[in-house]
């Protein structure tokens, strides 16, 4: 490899890592905005999802209006699979899991998606994790567990098992892993804008009927109440930063550094949520939380450097 090509390769890898980091920072903060909309405004998980992704889809559609069709019906089916797994199934299972199990269980079990990605890559593409990636993933996951369970450990509450909620959380991680593998086949042929728009379209196509069928009344009116601007501001943050920008960056990151390396950054999501909760909601950070953050960062470094 020439010096110029090697330099370009390193720069593209760095760009991929930065894109993945920014994405996970947005997603880590998204829990705060979702909590405000569901707890304070009374919105259901389906309602938040539909409002959020409708705005994001319109933004992307404006930017890609001249390029609507994919290459084939086979690709269209692949896009549908990606949209359902990364949108409808992932977000709805994650939010409904919170109704049956603790937040800690949901966060911990849904962060297993990098491990599912590695397993699916091994099955479908006959690849295997390198020793550094295995060790790094293990260290990062241990850090995630400490971050999420830091309060329970400090207070001696332990880790409870709730079959339905925990199964939904694991299914959530598996759904994200399936999307990561499925989109891998599309990335070489489509740009990130096109892929993201397709994901949002099929996510909305399969979730809007659920919104129509739900028993609870809609809360669209609170978004137009300008005496309470926090609701519309949080929704716009979810739509613009956590959906439009984050998904564009995420698809670009998977193109540049691969699905496994990109998904390892998901381990950073619970620590970022913990820090955001401290600054924005005044939540307490316990000593084990700091140790967990250090382990997550160490695991990511090991996975990236010891290849």
């Amino acid at each position: 490899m020439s010096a110029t090509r090697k330099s370009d390769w390193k720069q593209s890898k760095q760009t991929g890592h930065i894109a993945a980091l920014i994405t996970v920072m947005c997603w880590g903060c998204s829990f705060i905005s979702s909590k405000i909309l569901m707890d304070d405004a009374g919105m259901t998980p389906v309602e938040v999802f539909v409002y959020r992704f409708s705005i994001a889809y319109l933004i992307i559609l404006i930017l890609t209006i001249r390029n609507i069709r994919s290459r084939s019906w086979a690709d269209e089916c692949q896009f549908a699979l990606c949209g359902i797994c990364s949108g409808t199934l992932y977000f709805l299972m994650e939010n409904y899991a919170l109704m049956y199990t603790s937040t800690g269980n949901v966060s911990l079990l849904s962060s297993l998606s990098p491990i599912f990605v590695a397993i699916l890559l091994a099955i479908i593409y006959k690849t295997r994790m390198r020793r550094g990636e295995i060790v790094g993933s293990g260290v990062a996951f241990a850090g995630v567990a400490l971050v999420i369970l830091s309060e329970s450990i400090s207070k001696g509450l332990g880790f409870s098992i709730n079959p339905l909620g925990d199964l939904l959380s694991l299914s959530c991680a598996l759904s994200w892993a399936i999307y990561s593998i499925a989109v891998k086949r599309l990335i070489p042929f489509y740009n990130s804008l096109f892929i993201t728009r397709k994901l949002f379209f099929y996510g909305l196509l399969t979730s809007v009927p659920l919104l129509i069928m739900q028993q609870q009344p809609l809360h669209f009116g609170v978004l137009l109440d300008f005496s309470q601007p926090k609701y519309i501001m949080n929704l716009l943050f979810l739509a613009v930063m956590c959906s439009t920008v984050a998904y564009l960056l995420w698809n670009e990151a998977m193109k540049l550094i691969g699905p496994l390396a990109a998904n390892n950054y998901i381990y950073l999501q619970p620590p970022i949520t913990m820090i955001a909760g401290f600054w924005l909601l005044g939540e307490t950070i316990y000593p084990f939380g700091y140790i967990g953050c250090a382990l997550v960062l160490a695991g990511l470094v090991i996975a990236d450097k010891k290849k």
Side-chain angles (χ1 to χ4, degrees):
M1 184 184 294
S2 66
T4 302
R5 289 184 62 190
K6 188 174 182 180
S7 176
D8 292 342
W9 178 78
K10 285 185 176 180
Q11 187 174 2
S12 67
K13 298 284 279 188
Q14 290 173 353
T15 302
H17 286 295
I18 292 171
L21 178 60
I22 294 173
T23 300
V24 174
M25 289 177 67
C26 290
W27 287 342
C29 296
S30 70
F31 286 96
I32 307 298
S33 294
S34 296
K35 182 179 179 64
I36 290 172
L37 291 175
M38 288 191 290
D39 291 355
D40 297 353
M43 293 184 182
T44 63
V46 178
E47 196 174 1
V48 173
F49 176 82
V50 170
Y51 293 163
R52 165 184 174 176
F53 277 79
S54 295
I55 296 171
Y57 177 71
L58 290 175
I59 294 172
I60 298 293
L61 182 61
I62 292 171
L63 298 175
T64 59
I65 190 65
R66 294 183 179 179
N67 189 14
I68 298 297
R69 297 180 180 177
S70 59
R71 299 183 311 156
S72 65
W73 282 108
D75 284 1
E76 203 67 31
C77 291
Q78 196 89 344
F79 278 120
L81 175 64
C82 292
I84 293 170
C85 288
S86 69
T88 310
L89 288 180
Y90 179 83
F91 285 98
L92 295 186
M93 285 192 296
E94 181 181 67
N95 287 326
Y96 280 110
L98 292 170
M99 300 171 62
Y100 300 103
T101 188
S102 67
T103 304
N105 287 29
V106 175
S107 300
L108 180 60
L109 295 173
S110 63
S111 67
L112 285 171
S113 57
I115 296 175
F116 283 125
V117 169
I119 293 171
L120 291 177
L121 281 172
I123 294 173
I124 298 173
Y125 292 100
K126 309 301 180 183
T127 63
R128 63 177 183 175
M129 292 181 70
R130 298 177 178 90
R131 184 178 301 174
E133 291 172 333
I134 295 174
V135 174
S137 295
V139 172
F141 183 70
V144 169
L146 278 179
V147 168
I148 294 169
L149 301 176
S150 59
E151 181 178 2
S152 298
I153 295 172
S154 300
K155 295 181 178 180
L157 301 178
F159 181 82
S160 61
I161 297 176
N162 305 278
L164 179 56
D166 293 344
L167 183 60
L168 283 171
S169 302
L170 283 173
S171 300
C172 174
L174 179 59
S175 176
W176 187 263
I178 292 172
Y179 147 68
S180 299
I181 301 302
V183 81
K184 177 180 171 65
R185 296 183 176 181
L186 299 169
I187 284 174
F189 306 106
Y190 303 94
N191 61 42
S192 296
L193 276 170
F194 187 90
I195 293 173
T196 304
R197 193 197 73 218
K198 286 290 186 181
L199 300 186
F200 291 168
F201 173 76
Y202 284 108
L204 286 171
L205 187 67
T206 51
S207 60
V208 168
L210 298 176
L211 180 64
I212 295 173
M213 291 186 296
Q214 77 171 18
Q215 299 295 322
Q216 298 89 333
L218 300 181
H219 299 80
F220 190 76
V222 301
L223 300 174
L224 303 178
D225 183 4
F226 295 104
S227 64
Q228 296 284 343
K230 68 176 183 178
Y231 299 131
I232 187 63
M233 294 303 294
N234 278 283
L235 180 63
L236 288 175
F237 172 71
L238 289 173
V240 177
M241 293 304 300
C242 301
S243 296
T244 308
V245 174
Y247 270 80
L248 286 173
L249 291 176
W250 186 254
N251 289 322
E252 196 66 24
M254 288 203 293
K255 180 187 298 184
L256 295 173
I257 61 177
L260 184 57
N263 274 275
N264 277 336
Y265 276 89
I266 289 179
Y267 289 129
L268 278 174
Q269 191 167 292
I272 291 171
T273 303
M274 180 184 70
I275 296 170
F278 172 76
W279 286 105
L280 299 176
L281 300 178
E283 296 179 348
T284 304
I285 298 180
Y286 296 88
F288 283 105
Y290 293 106
I291 298 172
C293 287
L295 287 176
V296 170
L297 294 175
L300 291 176
V301 171
I302 293 170
D304 184 55
K305 299 298 182 183
K306 302 296 183 181
K307 292 184 179 180

